[in-house]
């Protein structure tokens, strides 16, 4: 993942508000986007940062939550369709 250069953008990649004295630039450690503090309120574990939670943007947080929800629902579907009666031999 490559970070977006600070000089390249003058507004947040999520809310599109302009950076300034009170709205500072931050990098999402998951996707590298340049975002404001409001759009990167969460910290999470990211590959390459060992056991430390680091700043991630709202988009990456939402994407991860959606992916985790889909994985859980697939596991529930698989466990619900695997009947103990179908695996027994007579």
């Amino acid at each position: 993942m490559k970070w977006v250069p600070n000089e390249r953008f003058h507004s947040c990649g999520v809310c599109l508000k302009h950076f300034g004295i009170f709205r500072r630039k931050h990098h999402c450690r998951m996707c590298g986007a340049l975002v404001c503090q409001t759009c990167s309120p969460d910290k999470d574990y990211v590959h390459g940062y060992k056991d430390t939670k680091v700043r991630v943007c709202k988009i990456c947080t939402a994407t991860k939550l959606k992916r985790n929800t889909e994985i859980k629902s697939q596991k529930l579907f698989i466990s619900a369709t695997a009947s103990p009666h179908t695996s027994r031999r007579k």
Side-chain angles (χ1 to χ4, degrees), residues 4 8 12 20 32 53-54 57 59-61 66 69 76 79 88:
V4 173
R8 189 168 173 199
C12 174
K53 287 188 173 187
V54 292
C57 70
I59 294 172
C60 287
T61 300
K66 181 180 177 188
T69 302
L76 288 174
S79 66
R88 291 185 188 168

Side-chain angles (χ1 to χ4, degrees), residues 2-78:
K2 197 171 189 178
W3 282 13
V4 173
N6 282 344
E7 303 79 27
R8 189 168 173 199
F9 289 96
H10 300 288
S11 60
C12 174
V14 177
C15 69
L16 305 177
K17 293 181 180 176
H18 289 283
F19 295 119
I21 296 170
F22 300 107
R23 185 173 289 112
R24 300 191 56 209
K25 299 177 181 182
H26 300 279
H27 283 93
C28 171
R29 303 308 196 269
M30 195 171 285
C31 70
L34 201 56
V35 294
C36 67
Q37 182 176 351
T38 304
C39 293
S40 59
D42 302 314
K43 291 189 174 190
D44 201 355
Y45 295 107
V46 176
H47 179 73
Y49 289 92
K50 297 190 180 184
D51 297 330
T52 305
K53 287 188 173 187
V54 292
R55 183 182 300 272
V56 293
C57 70
K58 287 180 176 180
I59 294 172
C60 287
T61 300
T63 302
K64 184 176 179 182
L65 288 172
K66 181 180 177 188
R67 185 172 43 239
N68 289 345
T69 302
E70 289 171 353
I71 289 169
K72 285 179 185 177
S73 71
Q74 287 176 354
K75 285 181 182 178
L76 288 174
F77 176 75
I78 291 169

